[in-house]
Amino acid sequence: MEIQNSQIINPTVSENIDADSNGDISKQPPTATQIQAWIVSYLAQLLEIEPDEVNVTLPFDRYGLDSSVAVGLTGDLEDWLETKLDPTLLYDYPTIEGLSQHLADEFKAKV
């Protein structure tokens, strides 16, 4: 299956925004659930399947993603998260569930 990264429109997931006691709005780090929802939406669009058909516990390679798609996904995720990501993350954390939890933990550590 050949996948064109340019066919993907960045999925949107509502941001986690809170107001503090002074009414100032601050952007909270994304949760593992939000990151996971973004990746599921991205893959569903990419593979032209329904989001509920994406199993978050299966390795990315089971979806037929080649290295160029993996780099594209990482780049788009990097844009959405507004932070630099290592392009090898999908190899280090080969499932949606694992990657989402790792990224959420990384964001928590920065706060």
Side-chain angles (χ1 to χ4, degrees):
M1 169 191 304
E2 186 173 320
I3 301 170
Q4 297 289 327
N5 196 29
S6 62
Q7 296 171 335
I8 300 302
I9 298 170
N10 244 352
T12 58
V13 176
S14 61
E15 294 184 36
N16 191 12
I17 299 176
D18 287 330
D20 66 16
S21 59
N22 296 327
D24 292 332
I25 295 176
S26 64
K27 186 175 176 183
Q28 298 297 311
T31 65
T33 302
Q34 290 170 318
I35 296 168
Q36 183 171 296
W38 187 96
I39 297 170
V40 165
S41 178
Y42 186 97
L43 284 180
Q45 284 183 356
L46 181 74
L47 301 171
E48 298 179 354
I49 60 176
E50 293 298 316
D52 62 357
E53 295 178 61
V54 177
N55 183 334
V56 300
T57 63
L58 288 178
F60 287 104
D61 63 1
R62 294 280 300 269
Y63 290 102
L65 305 182
D66 62 18
S67 60
S68 66
V69 173
V71 169
L73 186 156
T74 303
D76 289 341
L77 184 58
E78 187 175 80
D79 291 343
W80 179 68
L81 294 172
E82 298 176 350
T83 191
K84 184 76 176 138
L85 299 176
D86 188 334
T88 63
L89 273 178
L90 271 65
Y91 300 103
D92 297 335
Y93 301 92
T95 66
I96 297 169
E97 184 177 60
L99 177 60
S100 301
Q101 189 59 57
H102 166 73
L103 291 172
D105 291 346
E106 288 291 310
F107 277 105
K108 283 182 199 172
K110 291 180 181 179
V111 175

